[in-house]
Every structure is written in C-alpha cells, then in structure tokens.
Amino acid sequence: MDIIKKESRVSALFFLKCLLASYILTGLLLLILALLLYKVGIGRSIVSVAIIMIYVLSTFFAGFIAGRRMKSRKFLWGLLMGVLYFTVLAVMSLIVNRSVGALGNSFFTTLVLCCAGGMMGGMLG
C-alpha cells in the first residue's frame, strides 16, 4: 500500500515537471513566432496555424515524456498531459480576460487538439 502511495506522489510530481517543460517549450516557440511576425511580417492565417501547431507540439512533447516514463497505458498518460495542458491554458485565459467568452469558438477544437497531441506523444513515447 505504501509503495502505491509513494509511486502516485512521484507520478504527480513527474507530471507537473512534464507540464512545466511543455509550457517552457510553448513559451520558446511563441517567442520565435513573435520574432518571425516582427521581422518577416507573416500573415494572420499563418500565425493561427502556427499557434495550433505549437499547442500540438507542446502537448506531444509532454505526452512523449510521460509515455516513456510510465511504460503501460502510455496513450492514457499522454491524454492526461493534453487535458492538463488545456486546463491550465483555459484557466489562465479566463483569469486574464475575465470572461467565459474569451475562450472563443475554438474552445472544443483546442481541447481536441491538445488531447490528440498528448495522446499521440504518449503512444510514441
């Protein structure tokens, strides 16, 4: 029984580290995107696609790390990372914009993309 509790505590800390790493990756990729937007002047549609790709890559990265560590049911651990990533993203969006309408029309699309990216990373991890 103590072994299970110890493993779950380690897993929770590990998942928080994976989530932090994915948000660091998100920040770096968004910084590169902002630099490209400033220097090259890329269009709005390209920026929208790039942001979606950043979400998917970041959740893929977190799911991949979680999948490599957990060994069994990797896709579920990757899915969990995608859900956690999206949850933090949605909560921060609500805090900053102070309205439910701030999540926009792409709420469920972003949820599905984050979950799919994490799950794919978990399966390949």
Side-chain angles (χ1 to χ4, degrees):
M1 187 72 167
D2 290 331
I3 295 171
I4 294 172
K5 287 182 182 178
K6 183 179 179 184
E7 184 177 301
S8 66
R9 278 184 270 147
V10 171
S11 296
L13 182 60
F14 173 72
F15 289 132
L16 288 175
K17 287 180 183 179
C18 286
L19 198 58
L20 179 63
S22 69
Y23 271 105
I24 289 172
L25 178 63
T26 300
L28 291 173
L29 292 174
L30 286 174
L31 188 62
I32 292 169
L33 180 62
L35 182 66
L36 285 173
L37 183 62
Y38 177 71
K39 291 289 185 181
V40 181
I42 54 180
R44 185 177 205 155
S45 61
I46 295 174
V47 171
S48 296
V49 170
I51 289 172
I52 291 168
M53 289 175 54
I54 289 170
Y55 289 157
V56 173
L57 283 173
S58 296
T59 54
F60 179 88
F61 177 70
F64 184 82
I65 295 171
R68 287 186 66 85
R69 171 83 182 261
M70 299 312 285
K71 305 289 187 206
S72 66
R73 296 187 219 165
K74 297 182 196 185
F75 69 98
L76 288 176
W77 298 113
L79 177 65
L80 176 67
M81 293 311 302
V83 168
L84 290 174
Y85 182 92
F86 176 78
T87 301
V88 171
L89 189 69
V91 167
M92 293 308 289
S93 179
L94 288 173
I95 289 172
V96 169
N97 295 319
R98 295 190 177 122
S99 72
V100 177
L103 295 175
N105 297 334
S106 61
F107 179 82
F108 290 109
T109 305
T110 306
L111 173 63
V112 169
L113 289 171
C114 288
C115 291
M119 189 182 298
M120 184 65 74
M123 286 190 289
L124 297 177

